[in-house]
Amino acid sequence: SSKYVYRGQEEQQNQDDAIYFSRLYTPINGAIDWSWTCEAIERFIRAFGKPYEGAWCHYQDHVIHLLDVDVTKKNSNYHPFTSGRIINIKNNKRVCIVAGDGVIEVSKIRVDDNIIDACSHLSVGDSLYNKISDTSISRRFRPTTRLMNTDQK
């Protein structure tokens, strides 16, 4: 039986109710699935943000990390085939991308360790994506403590 501290008091943990989630490793577990809801993607990107590299996807021949996003349009009826498609750039600042149930806007990305404005690198009509193998490995991968302590930025 294990104990934990809750509101300053040591409590006994009921092992029948206990659950475990392994730590996540950004370079593998940070793969974005554009079929997710806007809210899930936005939370995912925040979870893998500072101090980590950022949630990532592919764009053309690069891996990019999304750093600053907002949900702007939920419950939109875009065809699932358009998930990850860049559909607009607002005010030369915010790149609009179709997600599972709407649109998210991105203003900052990391490319090759440089933080840049998303609109300077991404183009309307192109797609952000991850390979099926990226998201499959992301869901199954469980990092070791050694890996976490030596490789995470």
Side-chain angles (χ1 to χ4, degrees):
S1 127
S2 57
K3 296 181 179 184
Y4 66 98
V5 176
Y6 178 71
R7 295 187 178 169
Q9 299 293 317
E10 191 172 280
E11 302 281 337
Q12 204 61 24
Q13 181 169 339
N14 179 344
Q15 292 302 311
D16 291 336
D17 294 335
I19 58 174
Y20 170 79
F21 291 100
S22 64
R23 291 174 67 182
L24 299 176
Y25 181 62
T26 305
I28 294 175
N29 299 117
I32 298 167
D33 183 337
W34 289 100
S35 67
W36 293 341
T37 66
C38 293
E39 188 172 285
I41 291 172
E42 188 263 343
R43 287 181 178 177
F44 190 77
I45 290 168
R46 279 192 294 121
F48 282 96
K50 285 184 182 180
Y52 308 107
E53 297 171 31
W56 58 273
C57 60
H58 294 273
Y59 176 72
Q60 296 177 347
D61 294 330
H62 298 288
V63 170
I64 65 169
H65 300 267
L66 305 183
L67 305 177
D68 180 28
V69 300
D70 289 307
V71 174
T72 58
K73 215 179 199 184
K74 288 172 58 172
N75 303 318
S76 297
N77 291 321
Y78 291 99
H79 190 278
F81 188 73
T82 62
S83 293
R85 177 91 49 202
I86 300 166
I87 59 169
N88 193 4
I89 296 178
K90 288 186 178 178
N91 302 318
N92 289 325
K93 292 183 180 183
R94 304 202 51 89
V95 176
C96 301
I97 305 163
V98 175
D101 68 343
V103 176
I104 64 170
E105 292 183 10
V106 179
S107 61
K108 295 286 183 188
I109 60 174
R110 182 189 318 272
V111 180
D112 300 327
D113 288 329
N114 297 309
I115 296 174
I116 62 173
D117 291 332
C119 64
S120 70
H121 190 73
L122 307 176
S123 298
V124 172
D126 287 344
S127 290
L128 304 178
Y129 64 94
N130 270 316
K131 301 170 189 168
I132 293 171
S133 59
D134 292 334
T135 53
S136 177
I137 290 168
S138 175
R139 288 185 175 106
R140 291 183 290 117
F141 181 76
R142 181 176 170 187
T144 63
T145 302
R146 180 175 173 213
L147 176 66
M148 297 294 289
N149 291 333
T150 60
D151 211 27
Q152 186 76 26
K153 287 186 178 181

